[in-house]
Amino acid sequence: EDAIKWAENAGNIGHALVYQCLLTILKIYPNENLLEHVAKSITWFFSSDSKNLNYIGVIGLMELVKKDQKYAAMHQAKVIECLEDPDMTLKSKTLDLLVRMTNKKNVEAIVEKLMENLKLIPSESKVKKELVANIHHLVDKYSPNKTWFVRTMNKLFIAGGELVTSDISNKFIKVVSKKVDKAQFKDSTVKIYWNMLKK
C-alpha cells in the first residue's frame, strides 16, 4: 500500500517499479500473503483513468490468474469494462485475459461478452480469427449442457462466418451426431434449426 501511494506521486517510473515488483512476487509464488498484495495492486491499476495503467492491470492479472484462478472473479467486472475501450491493443489483451479467466461457473457470461465483441471486430482483423478459435475452445471445454452448446455454436457460425474453420464445423457435427439418439436433445436441436430456417 505504501508502494502504491509512492507510485501515485512518482508517475510513470513509480508505476513501472510497482509492476516489476508484482512480477517478482509472482515468480516466488506460492506465498499466499504476497499474492493478496498483488491482487490489491492490480485493483489499483484497474481503477485508474489511465488506459496505460488499465493495460498494465490486464497484463498483471493474466500473470496472477496463471498462478491462482480464484483472483479472476474479483476483477471480472473491471476486465469486462476494459472491453468497451476503443483501443484495439487494450481490447485484444482483455479478450485474451477473459479467455484465461473462463471456467464452468462463468462460461455463459464470458462467452456472451466475447460473442458481442466478435460482431464488432472487422473481419480482416487477426484478433477476430483468434477470437473465433477461443470461443470454440471455451464452448467445447466448459459447455454446461448440449442445448447451450448447439445454440452458442450456431451464433459462432453466424458471427464468425468464413473464419470458422472446417475443423471447428467437423467437430461440431460429430458432437451433434453422437447425441441424436437422445430424444430430448434431438427435439431441441430440430427446433433450433427449424427456427433458423424460418428466418
Side-chain angles (χ1 to χ4, degrees):
E1 287 174 12
D2 289 341
I4 288 171
K5 284 175 189 171
W6 172 79
E8 284 175 340
N9 296 322
N12 289 339
I13 294 171
H15 302 144
L17 282 170
V18 169
Y19 177 64
Q20 288 304 319
C21 289
L22 300 184
L23 293 182
T24 304
I25 289 169
L26 290 171
K27 294 285 182 197
I28 56 176
Y29 173 79
N31 186 315
E32 196 65 38
N33 189 33
L34 288 177
L35 282 188
E36 292 294 333
H37 287 295
V38 170
K40 283 179 188 172
S41 299
I42 286 171
T43 302
W44 174 73
F45 281 115
F46 273 123
S47 63
S48 171
D49 292 333
S50 163
K51 298 305 167 199
N52 290 337
L53 295 185
N54 292 161
Y55 184 82
I56 291 173
V58 169
I59 301 287
L61 188 54
M62 282 175 91
E63 295 302 316
L64 182 58
V65 167
K66 283 182 196 173
K67 301 297 181 186
D68 197 327
Q69 191 77 21
K70 78 177 184 184
Y71 293 104
M74 66 190 277
H75 294 97
Q76 189 170 316
K78 274 289 183 187
V79 171
I80 288 171
E81 260 181 53
C82 289
L83 279 180
E84 310 306 317
D85 198 278
D87 182 288
M88 227 21 226
T89 308
L90 180 57
K91 188 184 282 282
S92 175
K93 280 293 176 194
T94 304
L95 290 168
D96 286 347
L97 174 56
L98 277 174
V99 169
R100 290 179 195 239
M101 289 169 65
T102 308
N103 55 48
K104 280 195 176 288
K105 291 178 182 174
N106 64 14
V107 66
E108 293 177 74
I110 287 182
V111 165
E112 186 181 333
K113 277 290 172 192
L114 295 177
M115 206 72 81
E116 284 171 16
N117 278 269
L118 181 64
K119 294 171 188 172
L120 302 173
I121 299 170
S123 295
E124 64 278 5
S125 171
K126 183 185 164 196
V127 173
K128 187 161 190 164
K129 188 175 182 180
E130 289 171 359
L131 189 52
V132 167
N134 282 330
I135 290 171
H136 170 256
H137 169 72
L138 297 177
V139 171
D140 190 47
K141 186 174 182 181
Y142 298 115
S143 179
N145 57 65
K146 292 299 175 193
T147 301
W148 183 84
F149 174 82
V150 171
R151 286 183 193 279
T152 308
M153 285 303 296
N154 289 335
K155 289 177 188 173
L156 182 61
F157 288 135
I158 293 165
E162 293 177 3
L163 296 175
V164 177
T165 64
S166 56
D167 285 347
I168 290 174
S169 53
N170 289 339
K171 196 168 184 182
F172 173 74
I173 290 165
K174 281 181 187 172
V175 170
V176 172
S177 63
K178 282 180 185 174
K179 297 288 179 185
V180 290
D181 57 331
K182 308 245 175 168
Q184 187 181 0
F185 180 72
K186 184 177 176 182
D187 289 348
S188 65
T189 305
V190 168
K191 280 176 189 169
I192 289 167
Y193 287 110
W194 176 244
N195 289 331
M196 286 176 74
L197 282 169
K198 283 196 289 187
K199 288 176 185 175

